[in-house]
PDB file of all heavy atoms in Angstrom:
ATOM      1  N   ALA A1139      10.579  -3.520 -14.652  1.00  0.00           N
ATOM      2  CA  ALA A1139      11.162  -2.367 -15.350  1.00  0.00           C
ATOM      3  C   ALA A1139      12.676  -2.411 -15.302  1.00  0.00           C
ATOM      4  O   ALA A1139      13.355  -2.144 -16.303  1.00  0.00           O
ATOM      5  CB  ALA A1139      10.654  -1.065 -14.733  1.00  0.00           C
ATOM      6  N   ASP A1140      13.219  -2.775 -14.142  1.00  0.00           N
ATOM      7  CA  ASP A1140      14.674  -2.824 -13.985  1.00  0.00           C
ATOM      8  C   ASP A1140      15.303  -3.978 -14.764  1.00  0.00           C
ATOM      9  O   ASP A1140      16.512  -4.027 -14.937  1.00  0.00           O
ATOM     10  CB  ASP A1140      15.052  -2.888 -12.500  1.00  0.00           C
ATOM     11  CG  ASP A1140      14.720  -1.581 -11.781  1.00  0.00           C
ATOM     12  OD1 ASP A1140      14.504  -0.555 -12.464  1.00  0.00           O
ATOM     13  OD2 ASP A1140      14.651  -1.585 -10.532  1.00  0.00           O
ATOM     14  N   ARG A1141      14.447  -4.889 -15.269  1.00  0.00           N
ATOM     15  CA  ARG A1141      14.915  -5.953 -16.155  1.00  0.00           C
ATOM     16  C   ARG A1141      14.806  -5.514 -17.622  1.00  0.00           C
ATOM     17  O   ARG A1141      15.066  -6.292 -18.529  1.00  0.00           O
ATOM     18  CB  ARG A1141      14.081  -7.219 -15.944  1.00  0.00           C
ATOM     19  CG  ARG A1141      14.318  -7.904 -14.619  1.00  0.00           C
ATOM     20  CD  ARG A1141      13.279  -8.988 -14.384  1.00  0.00           C
ATOM     21  NE  ARG A1141      13.665  -9.830 -13.260  1.00  0.00           N
ATOM     22  CZ  ARG A1141      14.354 -10.958 -13.380  1.00  0.00           C
ATOM     23  NH1 ARG A1141      14.753 -11.368 -14.561  1.00  0.00           N
ATOM     24  NH2 ARG A1141      14.664 -11.659 -12.312  1.00  0.00           N
ATOM     25  N   GLY A1142      14.336  -4.261 -17.846  1.00  0.00           N
ATOM     26  CA  GLY A1142      14.290  -3.708 -19.197  1.00  0.00           C
ATOM     27  C   GLY A1142      12.978  -3.903 -19.934  1.00  0.00           C
ATOM     28  O   GLY A1142      12.907  -3.677 -21.152  1.00  0.00           O
ATOM     29  N   TYR A1143      11.904  -4.297 -19.219  1.00  0.00           N
ATOM     30  CA  TYR A1143      10.611  -4.528 -19.880  1.00  0.00           C
ATOM     31  C   TYR A1143       9.881  -3.198 -20.039  1.00  0.00           C
ATOM     32  O   TYR A1143       9.509  -2.558 -19.060  1.00  0.00           O
ATOM     33  CB  TYR A1143       9.785  -5.529 -19.062  1.00  0.00           C
ATOM     34  CG  TYR A1143       8.519  -5.991 -19.735  1.00  0.00           C
ATOM     35  CD1 TYR A1143       8.523  -6.463 -21.045  1.00  0.00           C
ATOM     36  CD2 TYR A1143       7.315  -5.962 -19.061  1.00  0.00           C
ATOM     37  CE1 TYR A1143       7.362  -6.893 -21.661  1.00  0.00           C
ATOM     38  CE2 TYR A1143       6.133  -6.400 -19.654  1.00  0.00           C
ATOM     39  CZ  TYR A1143       6.165  -6.865 -20.964  1.00  0.00           C
ATOM     40  OH  TYR A1143       5.014  -7.291 -21.554  1.00  0.00           O
ATOM     41  N   ASN A1144       9.660  -2.775 -21.305  1.00  0.00           N
ATOM     42  CA  ASN A1144       9.166  -1.413 -21.540  1.00  0.00           C
ATOM     43  C   ASN A1144       7.738  -1.160 -21.026  1.00  0.00           C
ATOM     44  O   ASN A1144       7.431  -0.050 -20.606  1.00  0.00           O
ATOM     45  CB  ASN A1144       9.318  -1.005 -23.010  1.00  0.00           C
ATOM     46  CG  ASN A1144       8.414  -1.749 -23.967  1.00  0.00           C
ATOM     47  OD1 ASN A1144       7.650  -2.642 -23.593  1.00  0.00           O
ATOM     48  ND2 ASN A1144       8.508  -1.410 -25.238  1.00  0.00           N
ATOM     49  N   LYS A1145       6.884  -2.163 -21.022  1.00  0.00           N
ATOM     50  CA  LYS A1145       5.525  -1.951 -20.498  1.00  0.00           C
ATOM     51  C   LYS A1145       5.577  -1.671 -18.995  1.00  0.00           C
ATOM     52  O   LYS A1145       4.819  -0.845 -18.482  1.00  0.00           O
ATOM     53  CB  LYS A1145       4.639  -3.163 -20.790  1.00  0.00           C
ATOM     54  CG  LYS A1145       4.290  -3.286 -22.260  1.00  0.00           C
ATOM     55  CD  LYS A1145       3.381  -4.459 -22.531  1.00  0.00           C
ATOM     56  CE  LYS A1145       3.088  -4.548 -24.021  1.00  0.00           C
ATOM     57  NZ  LYS A1145       2.241  -5.699 -24.355  1.00  0.00           N
ATOM     58  N   ALA A1146       6.465  -2.362 -18.311  1.00  0.00           N
ATOM     59  CA  ALA A1146       6.635  -2.131 -16.870  1.00  0.00           C
ATOM     60  C   ALA A1146       7.288  -0.776 -16.616  1.00  0.00           C
ATOM     61  O   ALA A1146       6.934  -0.077 -15.656  1.00  0.00           O
ATOM     62  CB  ALA A1146       7.459  -3.256 -16.255  1.00  0.00           C
ATOM     63  N   GLN A1147       8.233  -0.386 -17.465  1.00  0.00           N
ATOM     64  CA  GLN A1147       8.864   0.937 -17.329  1.00  0.00           C
ATOM     65  C   GLN A1147       7.807   2.030 -17.445  1.00  0.00           C
ATOM     66  O   GLN A1147       7.808   2.993 -16.672  1.00  0.00           O
ATOM     67  CB  GLN A1147       9.942   1.116 -18.406  1.00  0.00           C
ATOM     68  CG  GLN A1147      11.163   0.262 -18.169  1.00  0.00           C
ATOM     69  CD  GLN A1147      12.084   0.184 -19.375  1.00  0.00           C
ATOM     70  OE1 GLN A1147      11.675   0.426 -20.508  1.00  0.00           O
ATOM     71  NE2 GLN A1147      13.337  -0.165 -19.129  1.00  0.00           N
ATOM     72  N   PHE A1148       6.893   1.862 -18.396  1.00  0.00           N
ATOM     73  CA  PHE A1148       5.795   2.818 -18.549  1.00  0.00           C
ATOM     74  C   PHE A1148       4.935   2.846 -17.284  1.00  0.00           C
ATOM     75  O   PHE A1148       4.576   3.921 -16.784  1.00  0.00           O
ATOM     76  CB  PHE A1148       4.941   2.460 -19.768  1.00  0.00           C
ATOM     77  CG  PHE A1148       3.705   3.294 -19.896  1.00  0.00           C
ATOM     78  CD1 PHE A1148       3.789   4.631 -20.252  1.00  0.00           C
ATOM     79  CD2 PHE A1148       2.452   2.754 -19.647  1.00  0.00           C
ATOM     80  CE1 PHE A1148       2.643   5.418 -20.357  1.00  0.00           C
ATOM     81  CE2 PHE A1148       1.308   3.527 -19.748  1.00  0.00           C
ATOM     82  CZ  PHE A1148       1.403   4.867 -20.108  1.00  0.00           C
ATOM     83  N   ASN A1149       4.618   1.677 -16.745  1.00  0.00           N
ATOM     84  CA  ASN A1149       3.790   1.608 -15.539  1.00  0.00           C
ATOM     85  C   ASN A1149       4.473   2.235 -14.328  1.00  0.00           C
ATOM     86  O   ASN A1149       3.826   2.883 -13.509  1.00  0.00           O
ATOM     87  CB  ASN A1149       3.389   0.157 -15.248  1.00  0.00           C
ATOM     88  CG  ASN A1149       2.351  -0.353 -16.226  1.00  0.00           C
ATOM     89  OD1 ASN A1149       1.560   0.422 -16.769  1.00  0.00           O
ATOM     90  ND2 ASN A1149       2.365  -1.642 -16.488  1.00  0.00           N
ATOM     91  N   VAL A1150       5.799   2.058 -14.223  1.00  0.00           N
ATOM     92  CA  VAL A1150       6.544   2.708 -13.140  1.00  0.00           C
ATOM     93  C   VAL A1150       6.460   4.224 -13.310  1.00  0.00           C
ATOM     94  O   VAL A1150       6.263   4.972 -12.340  1.00  0.00           O
ATOM     95  CB  VAL A1150       8.024   2.241 -13.104  1.00  0.00           C
ATOM     96  CG1 VAL A1150       8.836   3.094 -12.142  1.00  0.00           C
ATOM     97  CG2 VAL A1150       8.106   0.774 -12.687  1.00  0.00           C
ATOM     98  N   GLY A1151       6.581   4.692 -14.551  1.00  0.00           N
ATOM     99  CA  GLY A1151       6.439   6.122 -14.833  1.00  0.00           C
ATOM    100  C   GLY A1151       5.094   6.657 -14.368  1.00  0.00           C
ATOM    101  O   GLY A1151       5.015   7.706 -13.722  1.00  0.00           O
ATOM    102  N   LEU A1152       4.030   5.906 -14.660  1.00  0.00           N
ATOM    103  CA  LEU A1152       2.683   6.308 -14.215  1.00  0.00           C
ATOM    104  C   LEU A1152       2.605   6.378 -12.689  1.00  0.00           C
ATOM    105  O   LEU A1152       2.026   7.317 -12.140  1.00  0.00           O
ATOM    106  CB  LEU A1152       1.635   5.316 -14.724  1.00  0.00           C
ATOM    107  CG  LEU A1152       1.231   5.388 -16.190  1.00  0.00           C
ATOM    108  CD1 LEU A1152       0.273   4.244 -16.528  1.00  0.00           C
ATOM    109  CD2 LEU A1152       0.594   6.729 -16.537  1.00  0.00           C
ATOM    110  N   CYS A1153       3.185   5.372 -12.029  1.00  0.00           N
ATOM    111  CA  CYS A1153       3.168   5.348 -10.561  1.00  0.00           C
ATOM    112  C   CYS A1153       3.865   6.581  -9.988  1.00  0.00           C
ATOM    113  O   CYS A1153       3.351   7.224  -9.073  1.00  0.00           O
ATOM    114  CB  CYS A1153       3.833   4.079 -10.041  1.00  0.00           C
ATOM    115  SG  CYS A1153       2.864   2.577 -10.300  1.00  0.00           S
ATOM    116  N   TYR A1154       5.026   6.905 -10.532  1.00  0.00           N
ATOM    117  CA  TYR A1154       5.754   8.086 -10.051  1.00  0.00           C
ATOM    118  C   TYR A1154       5.011   9.386 -10.398  1.00  0.00           C
ATOM    119  O   TYR A1154       4.996  10.319  -9.608  1.00  0.00           O
ATOM    120  CB  TYR A1154       7.165   8.136 -10.633  1.00  0.00           C
ATOM    121  CG  TYR A1154       8.180   7.318  -9.871  1.00  0.00           C
ATOM    122  CD1 TYR A1154       8.925   6.331 -10.503  1.00  0.00           C
ATOM    123  CD2 TYR A1154       8.407   7.529  -8.506  1.00  0.00           C
ATOM    124  CE1 TYR A1154       9.866   5.580  -9.810  1.00  0.00           C
ATOM    125  CE2 TYR A1154       9.337   6.782  -7.803  1.00  0.00           C
ATOM    126  CZ  TYR A1154      10.063   5.811  -8.461  1.00  0.00           C
ATOM    127  OH  TYR A1154      10.994   5.074  -7.763  1.00  0.00           O
ATOM    128  N   GLU A1155       4.401   9.435 -11.570  1.00  0.00           N
ATOM    129  CA  GLU A1155       3.700  10.658 -11.967  1.00  0.00           C
ATOM    130  C   GLU A1155       2.492  10.934 -11.069  1.00  0.00           C
ATOM    131  O   GLU A1155       2.228  12.079 -10.707  1.00  0.00           O
ATOM    132  CB  GLU A1155       3.237  10.572 -13.430  1.00  0.00           C
ATOM    133  CG  GLU A1155       2.575  11.855 -13.914  1.00  0.00           C
ATOM    134  CD  GLU A1155       2.121  11.812 -15.357  1.00  0.00           C
ATOM    135  OE1 GLU A1155       2.290  10.789 -16.036  1.00  0.00           O
ATOM    136  OE2 GLU A1155       1.578  12.843 -15.808  1.00  0.00           O
ATOM    137  N   HIS A1156       1.770   9.875 -10.718  1.00  0.00           N
ATOM    138  CA  HIS A1156       0.524  10.052  -9.957  1.00  0.00           C
ATOM    139  C   HIS A1156       0.659   9.719  -8.471  1.00  0.00           C
ATOM    140  O   HIS A1156      -0.326   9.823  -7.731  1.00  0.00           O
ATOM    141  CB  HIS A1156      -0.593   9.218 -10.587  1.00  0.00           C
ATOM    142  CG  HIS A1156      -0.873   9.597 -12.013  1.00  0.00           C
ATOM    143  ND1 HIS A1156      -1.460  10.793 -12.366  1.00  0.00           N
ATOM    144  CD2 HIS A1156      -0.598   8.959 -13.173  1.00  0.00           C
ATOM    145  CE1 HIS A1156      -1.556  10.867 -13.680  1.00  0.00           C
ATOM    146  NE2 HIS A1156      -1.036   9.769 -14.194  1.00  0.00           N
ATOM    147  N   GLY A1157       1.850   9.289  -8.046  1.00  0.00           N
ATOM    148  CA  GLY A1157       2.054   8.951  -6.639  1.00  0.00           C
ATOM    149  C   GLY A1157       1.256   7.744  -6.205  1.00  0.00           C
ATOM    150  O   GLY A1157       0.667   7.726  -5.134  1.00  0.00           O
ATOM    151  N   ARG A1158       1.244   6.703  -7.037  1.00  0.00           N
ATOM    152  CA  ARG A1158       0.492   5.484  -6.715  1.00  0.00           C
ATOM    153  C   ARG A1158       1.461   4.371  -6.335  1.00  0.00           C
ATOM    154  O   ARG A1158       2.234   3.906  -7.157  1.00  0.00           O
ATOM    155  CB  ARG A1158      -0.365   5.061  -7.914  1.00  0.00           C
ATOM    156  CG  ARG A1158      -1.409   6.117  -8.246  1.00  0.00           C
ATOM    157  CD  ARG A1158      -2.207   5.766  -9.453  1.00  0.00           C
ATOM    158  NE  ARG A1158      -3.188   4.746  -9.124  1.00  0.00           N
ATOM    159  CZ  ARG A1158      -3.917   4.099 -10.042  1.00  0.00           C
ATOM    160  NH1 ARG A1158      -3.754   4.366 -11.313  1.00  0.00           N
ATOM    161  NH2 ARG A1158      -4.782   3.200  -9.663  1.00  0.00           N
TER     162      ARG A1158
END
Side-chain angles (χ1 to χ4, degrees):
D1140 292 344
R1141 290 169 168 267
Y1143 188 50
N1144 69 358
K1145 289 182 181 178
Q1147 289 167 339
F1148 173 71
N1149 287 332
V1150 170
L1152 284 175
C1153 288
Y1154 276 124
E1155 183 179 1
H1156 300 290
R1158 297 177 76 190

